Amino acid sequence: MEIFGVDIGGSGIKGAPVDLDRGDLAQERCKVLTPHPATPDAVADGVKQVVDHFGWTGPVGVTFPGVVTDGATIRTAANVDKSWIDTDARVLLGDRLGGLPVTVVNDADAAGVAEMHFGAGRHRKGTVIVLTFGTGIGSALFVDGVLVPNTELGHLELKGHDAEKRAATKVKEDQDLSWDEWARRVRKYLAHVEMLFSPELFVIGGGVSRKAHKFLPKLEGIKAEIVPAHLQNNAGIVGAAMRAATGV
């Protein structure tokens, strides 16, 4: 069974048909740059460009980098334009895609669901936290495989700032931090999250998971097991398609 998934990020909008039997992309993904400012209309145009690239005419799952309620309404917009807040993204994107059925889900929740079903969290019980490092830090919290939605743990305070303003991958790039310097920030962040939630497992996702060997060994002193995401930066696309398949 194939369903289309789109992952809206702070830097790029990427999508592809997803083979839900395998939990992997059915075709090579298409990616366009996230417009700046990332207003609802401009981002919707980018989503349409990605979907049209494949000539897709079925259901579409779309991730959003912020709190999403009822599979539709945007409540926060940390890394896109604030005009997204209170937008019914399901209606906006459905109209832009010519009436295709659209389901919208928090980006990290989508990635987490994919990792728990097909990837690093599969068959894991207890408390599991999936963290996606990119333009910001997304989080997905699971208890015995059940998602607690919209946790947004990237906005926990760390040294007087949102944690993602100190430890996101974009911060590493913008400040030209070494892997050692960045890993120290990530370790402090993980220690804070661990103090609050005592997870058995951290799954580290986002594009940086491809380079896990450069920083995971440096995350010393964390009691929880720490592993890279198996689906890496495709997890959001897969999770969006999974959500669209259920229609909620």
Side-chain angles (χ1 to χ4, degrees):
M1 177 182 181
E2 291 186 11
I3 296 287
F4 204 92
V6 179
D7 190 10
I8 298 172
S11 60
I13 301 169
K14 51 190 180 290
V18 174
D19 183 334
L20 291 180
D21 295 320
R22 295 188 298 113
D24 199 2
L25 307 190
Q27 299 183 49
E28 184 175 349
R29 72 188 190 187
C30 172
K31 180 177 180 179
V32 300
L33 295 179
T34 301
H36 294 285
T39 62
D41 280 339
V43 171
D45 286 341
V47 171
K48 177 175 170 55
Q49 185 178 343
V50 170
V51 175
D52 286 352
H53 175 80
F54 295 89
W56 185 262
T57 58
V60 178
V62 181
T63 77
F64 183 82
V67 172
V68 181
T69 57
D70 301 321
T73 305
I74 306 304
R75 296 302 185 196
T76 67
N79 293 304
V80 291
D81 195 82
K82 300 302 183 188
S83 58
W84 272 101
I85 296 174
D86 293 329
T87 295
D88 188 323
R90 180 164 54 198
V91 170
L92 170 69
L93 296 171
D95 288 347
R96 194 60 52 91
L97 296 177
L100 297 184
V102 172
T103 303
V104 185
V105 59
N106 172 267
D107 57 348
D109 285 351
V113 166
E115 283 295 330
M116 292 299 289
H117 193 79
F118 292 110
R122 191 176 185 186
H123 303 313
R124 295 297 294 257
K125 297 296 184 182
T127 302
V128 177
I129 297 178
V130 180
L131 297 169
T132 58
F133 288 79
T135 304
I137 300 175
S139 63
L141 170 64
F142 296 86
V143 180
D144 290 335
V146 178
L147 173 68
V148 180
N150 292 311
T151 48
E152 294 290 288
L153 300 182
H155 299 298
L156 289 172
E157 185 176 310
L158 192 65
K159 289 190 175 294
H161 301 278
D162 267 13
E164 69 178 23
K165 301 301 183 186
R166 289 190 53 79
T169 306
K170 186 176 188 298
V171 175
K172 179 188 184 304
E173 296 167 351
D174 289 349
Q175 298 183 14
D176 196 25
L177 300 175
S178 69
W179 286 107
D180 282 345
E181 291 170 327
W182 185 67
R184 280 197 294 272
R185 296 188 181 194
V186 173
R187 183 186 61 77
K188 290 177 181 177
Y189 170 62
L190 293 182
H192 188 52
V193 175
E194 183 171 62
M195 180 269 293
L196 293 171
F197 295 97
S198 301
E200 282 77 25
L201 175 67
F202 282 115
V203 179
I204 306 300
V208 75
S209 60
R210 295 192 299 268
K211 301 177 181 178
H213 63 284
K214 294 188 175 184
F215 67 92
L216 283 194
K218 304 177 189 297
L219 302 179
E220 300 173 346
I222 305 300
K223 295 182 177 63
E225 182 182 358
I226 309 172
V227 299
H230 289 181
L231 303 178
Q232 299 181 349
N233 214 21
N234 289 335
I237 297 174
V238 174
M242 291 173 65
R243 183 60 65 90
T246 65
V248 298

